[in-house]
Amino acid sequence: MSAEATSPGARSRRRGRTSIDLRRLGRAALLGPASRDRLPDAIGHVADAHRAHHPDADLLVLGKAYVLAEMSHRGQFRKSGEPYITHPLAVTLILAELGAETTTLTASLLHDTVEDTDVTLDQVRAEFGDEVCYLVDGVTKLEKVDYGAAAEPETFRKMLVATGNDVRVMSIKLADRLHNMRTLGVMRPEKQARIAKVTHDVLIPLAERLGVQALKTELEDLVFAILQPEEYERTRAVIADRATTGPSLDTIAVDVRRTLREADISAEVVIRPRHFVSVHRARLKRGEMRGTDFGRLLVLVGEDADCYAVLGELHTCFTPVISEFKDFIAAPKYNLYQSLHTAVAGLDGAVVEVLIRTHQMHRVAEAGVVALGNPYTPVDGAEPADGERADPTRPGWLSRLLAWQESATDPDTFWTTLRADLAQDREISVFPADGGMLGLPAGATCVDAAYAQYGDGAHGCIGARVNGRLATLSTVLVDGDTVQLLLAQGPVQAPGDAGGPGGERTGPVAGQAQEAAPGPSPEWLDHARTPAARIAIAGWLAANPESLKVPESEPRAPGAVTAGRRGVANVVVDVPEDATVRLAGCCTPVPPDDVTGFLVRGGAVTVHRAECSAVGRMAALGRSPVAVSWGDEAECRVTLYAESFGRPRLLADLTEAIATAGAAIVSANVEPPSEQRVRHTYTLQLPDAAGLAGLMRAMRDVPGVFDVRRAQHEPAS
């Protein structure tokens, strides 16, 4: 297929621009400049586009870069037959039209010289400086002779690392791929499909994340035409036979202009036709297409406040579709995008989508990071105090990507993981309980949050609280959640190890040995969405294969367990001596709790804690309380509830902690696990009520236990 066939809608998108004639540029490139004091004719398009955005730009450096590029590539031709210099010229023109600054354009002209000619990086540095040299090096491919099949993934790794220090590297790469896709028709079909697949999986998501919508939408259409030719032709036919039912966008645009003019709001209202992929998606979603489904209205104003004024007028004069309203001005998207989105219905019921933004917002929405110019220009000439240049374009997703790629040493793992990570096309923000913010892909779980916050320290995570409530590690987070990760107190180690990798075990009590945290389980891989979490978990499991085995129970010394029941409670009541006295099971009072008693059926006295809910119910029934006081005996009986996350040997560790504290287990009950949480109920005999607080602390210190409390519930009727 021809370049034109793989560039659907290019004419409408580039309306008003001077089209570039590759053959004419090729002839001009071979002929060179007309005179010594003029730029070469071949670069005239670039100069005009650049001056439109940067009127004061110095074009001499562009002429110098062009001369070096033309001389270096002279004699080289593209597969289409054009002189090779037409490629860097076209790539540079794409960036110039987006508003890239001079340094980026200079590097763009030279981006293939080091890769395909005898020019060296040292020559580029000597002629054009360190920044241009860094950008050229960042987009230079690695040799297949040196890397073999790993050349492509390792080249992308190199570009991503370079992008982490200067996002202009990826801007040049995206423009380079766009021009290659425009002229891909001369390639064999199988090579077209391979390049289009990589573009779909890697370059288009990167363009979306960097906010370069102008490049992203055209790349999507070019890929669509190659990978789904039948759907592409069907969509082309739908656009050609554009539905005429209902009012057209032109009619509604006239109504909107009149409404804003009457409200004395200065605004530009334009129609933005949907590109091919957008029409395809809308057709799949809506079925039959109406005239207003083939585009959107774009309202451009001068100030942020004007955006909301336009919104108010539209919602007043038209019927708003509330479910379609989104405010990306108050809460910008992670790729710098800002705009108000809404949809309104006219009197005849036709619905049209409306985008409202300022002219500056529109420029950033189209060009993304390219519109920022040079993001490393010092403010007022001052360099950062720490010697590192601040990068306002360094988003959270890029920082995460750079972090996990260091762990993915295998090229295949890196390539597969990169594609999977870029497939996550939305991002959320969650807030750790101790402050700060974590950026995570949509669909991330508490496992991902743990590794994002603690790195390898998350191996010891045993649970989480989301918005103050206990949650399992598999809980999917949503934008704005507050997350508190619960970590084990001991170091992480594989089962059977005598000590953890961090050295001696530590705990809340000095000198007290703690059970080591068991480490991540294989099930965590099912819940992890981020590459960093998956790589860390898989690495730990591979280094500790014994963790996959179910540990055998070790023989343990029998604890002191008392099976009998006391005949008389340790209380003094003002009733006949032969009356039966018992401690209420609903609140299990112990000395020195404030207590009160009530006569129940059979002449027995039940003793409750003063704050027990049963006391209020008894009083409501008109029953008089009985005076109760504690006796001289130190022993007491208490019922405790322990909440924990399930893990091997947890029950054994809890009973050992109870026995070590000197308590005897009268009865115990363990409920079946529910969502990885287990509830234990223990009735314990203590030799001294003063030891209750220490016992509860000892139980809480057992790894996996997150709460221990005394019984306090409604008694059974």
Side-chain angles (χ1 to χ4, degrees):
M1 73 182 64
S2 67
E4 289 75 19
T6 60
S7 184
R11 181 179 302 173
S12 63
R13 275 194 306 277
R14 298 176 61 188
R15 184 177 299 161
R17 304 177 187 172
T18 304
S19 61
I20 182 169
D21 184 340
L22 294 181
R23 293 188 181 277
R24 188 185 66 77
L25 279 182
R27 290 193 298 271
L30 293 176
L31 292 174
S35 63
R36 300 178 65 90
D37 59 347
R38 287 181 53 195
L39 284 173
D41 292 339
I43 203 174
H45 287 284
V46 173
D48 293 342
H50 188 38
R51 276 284 172 85
H53 292 278
H54 303 277
D56 299 328
D58 181 6
L59 300 182
L60 293 180
V61 67
L62 290 181
K64 183 178 177 182
Y66 168 77
V67 170
L68 176 59
E70 191 278 323
M71 291 179 59
S72 302
H73 290 298
R74 185 172 295 176
Q76 296 178 346
F77 295 87
R78 307 195 80 214
K79 290 186 181 295
S80 59
E82 275 77 31
Y84 194 87
I85 188 61
T86 59
H87 171 64
L89 275 171
V91 172
T92 306
L93 180 61
I94 291 170
L95 291 169
E97 289 178 336
L98 290 176
E101 38 70 56
T102 308
T103 301
T104 303
L105 300 185
T106 303
S108 176
L109 284 169
L110 301 171
H111 79 272
D112 277 338
T113 55
V114 174
E115 182 179 325
D116 296 332
T117 74
D118 293 333
V119 175
T120 66
L121 286 174
D122 288 337
Q123 288 178 277
V124 173
R125 181 181 293 105
E127 292 289 334
F128 301 97
D130 290 336
E131 279 195 308
V132 172
C133 179
Y134 184 87
L135 297 178
V136 172
D137 184 35
V139 295
T140 299
K141 295 179 183 177
L142 298 175
E143 295 289 344
K144 285 190 176 181
V145 175
D146 299 325
Y147 289 85
E152 185 173 36
E154 289 301 326
T155 294
F156 270 96
R157 188 201 297 265
K158 172 174 173 280
M159 288 182 190
L160 288 169
V161 172
T163 300
N165 193 45
D166 195 326
V167 293
R168 294 175 292 181
V169 171
M170 193 54 65
S171 300
I172 297 173
K173 178 60 183 177
L174 291 172
D176 174 61
R177 179 55 59 94
L178 176 57
H179 182 247
N180 284 333
M181 289 294 298
R182 286 175 177 174
T183 58
L184 203 59
V186 298
M187 299 287 187
R188 299 187 309 274
E190 59 272 18
K191 189 167 185 179
Q192 289 185 37
R194 185 185 67 79
I195 295 175
K197 187 68 168 63
V198 174
T199 303
H200 175 273
D201 292 349
V202 180
L203 272 304
I204 289 176
L206 285 172
E208 167 69 19
R209 281 159 172 72
L210 293 174
V212 195
Q213 294 296 321
L215 303 188
K216 179 221 172 190
T217 54
E218 188 173 351
L219 284 172
E220 281 185 327
D221 285 351
L222 294 167
V223 168
F224 181 42
I226 294 173
L227 297 184
Q228 296 178 271
E230 294 180 359
E231 287 295 324
Y232 165 72
E233 291 298 337
R234 189 175 293 114
T235 302
R236 197 220 293 264
V238 169
I239 294 176
D241 301 332
R242 179 170 300 184
T244 57
T245 57
S248 66
L249 281 169
D250 297 293
T251 302
I252 299 179
V254 171
D255 293 339
V256 171
R257 291 189 188 101
R258 182 176 61 252
T259 299
L260 298 181
R261 186 168 56 250
E262 292 174 353
D264 198 25
I265 298 176
S266 177
E268 180 183 355
V269 180
V270 296
I271 297 174
R272 284 178 61 85
R274 291 182 183 269
H275 62 106
F276 274 51
V277 170
S278 181
V279 171
H280 172 65
R281 291 169 180 163
R283 185 171 60 85
L284 294 179
K285 178 181 179 181
R286 302 173 188 177
E288 183 179 355
M289 300 281 286
R290 304 183 63 181
T292 55
D293 293 333
F294 288 88
R296 303 178 179 92
L297 292 186
L298 173 63
V299 182
L300 298 175
V301 295
E303 303 291 340
D304 291 10
D306 296 335
C307 294
Y308 294 97
V310 170
L311 181 71
E313 287 298 323
L314 293 182
H315 283 193
T316 300
C317 300
F318 299 87
T319 302
V321 181
I322 301 302
S323 61
E324 296 295 323
F325 173 68
K326 298 180 181 66
D327 187 346
F328 294 118
I329 295 179
K333 296 176 71 174
Y334 63 90
N335 60 0
L336 309 177
Y337 179 85
Q338 286 185 289
S339 187
L340 293 178
H341 288 203
T342 189
V344 296
L347 295 177
D348 54 3
V351 176
V352 61
E353 296 180 35
V354 185
L355 311 178
I356 308 168
R357 59 180 72 140
T358 66
H359 291 277
Q360 174 61 19
M361 291 177 190
H362 180 58
R363 182 167 173 253
V364 174
E366 290 292 293
V369 296
V370 180
L372 298 181
N374 184 351
Y376 312 106
T377 302
V379 179
D380 298 329
E383 293 289 344
D386 57 3
E388 295 185 2
R389 57 188 185 180
D391 187 351
T393 68
R394 177 77 172 267
W397 65 265
L398 181 55
S399 297
R400 290 199 311 273
L401 189 151
L402 294 174
W404 69 252
Q405 68 86 23
E406 295 179 356
S407 304
T409 55
D410 176 60
D412 291 336
T413 301
F414 166 76
W415 197 227
T416 302
T417 308
L418 174 65
R419 293 186 177 201
D421 187 31
L422 293 177
Q424 307 285 343
D425 60 353
R426 292 195 305 111
E427 183 160 311
I428 62 172
S429 298
V430 298
F431 303 91
D434 54 356
M437 185 187 75
L438 297 176
L440 298 170
T445 66
C446 292
V447 171
D448 300 304
Y451 282 94
Q453 184 172 4
Y454 296 111
D456 287 346
H459 293 331
C461 192
I462 57 175
R465 292 182 185 271
V466 178
N467 300 324
R469 303 185 66 178
L470 286 169
T472 61
L473 291 177
S474 61
T475 300
V476 176
L477 302 171
V478 298
D479 197 37
D481 277 347
T482 299
V483 184
Q484 178 186 2
L485 287 314
L486 308 176
L487 302 182
Q489 294 165 332
V492 178
Q493 67 178 49
D497 290 349
E504 296 182 359
R505 302 173 181 174
T506 59
V509 180
Q512 178 180 340
Q514 297 291 314
E515 182 70 27
S521 68
E523 288 76 14
W524 287 19
L525 289 173
D526 298 331
H527 310 316
R529 297 292 179 269
T530 58
R534 296 186 62 83
I535 290 173
I537 295 167
W540 192 90
L541 294 174
N544 300 277
E546 63 273 24
S547 64
L548 303 178
K549 303 175 183 178
V550 178
E552 298 180 359
S553 299
E554 299 177 1
R556 311 180 73 84
V561 179
T562 304
R565 296 180 60 86
R566 298 182 62 205
V568 180
N570 180 30
V571 290
V572 177
V573 296
D574 189 13
V575 293
E577 293 184 0
D578 57 350
T580 303
V581 179
R582 62 173 180 242
L583 302 179
C586 58
C587 57
T588 59
V590 298
D593 292 340
D594 291 333
V595 290
T596 186
F598 292 92
L599 280 169
V600 295
R601 291 188 184 95
V605 176
T606 303
V607 179
H608 295 265
R609 291 160 60 186
E611 64 267 25
C612 180
S613 59
V615 173
R617 188 170 59 257
M618 292 287 190
L621 293 174
R623 298 190 180 182
S624 300
V626 176
V628 180
S629 60
W630 292 108
D632 296 330
E633 297 182 23
E635 283 189 300
C636 67
R637 181 176 296 180
V638 65
T639 299
L640 299 178
Y641 295 145
E643 301 278 352
S644 69
F645 295 100
R647 68 170 177 82
R649 296 181 55 185
L650 178 61
L651 181 59
D653 292 341
L654 265 172
T655 55
E656 182 181 28
I658 293 170
T660 302
I665 300 176
V666 176
S667 65
N669 178 59
V670 181
E671 298 177 9
S674 174
E675 296 184 350
Q676 301 180 359
R677 289 182 284 183
V678 184
R679 183 178 183 179
H680 310 247
T681 304
Y682 297 98
T683 300
L684 307 174
Q685 189 76 29
L686 277 69
D688 190 339
L692 177 59
L695 169 65
M696 296 175 69
R697 282 196 300 271
M699 294 175 67
R700 290 192 188 99
D701 289 342
V702 173
V705 177
F706 57 81
D707 190 24
V708 176
R709 65 184 185 277
R710 291 172 59 182
Q712 182 72 52
H713 62 81
E714 294 288 339
S717 59

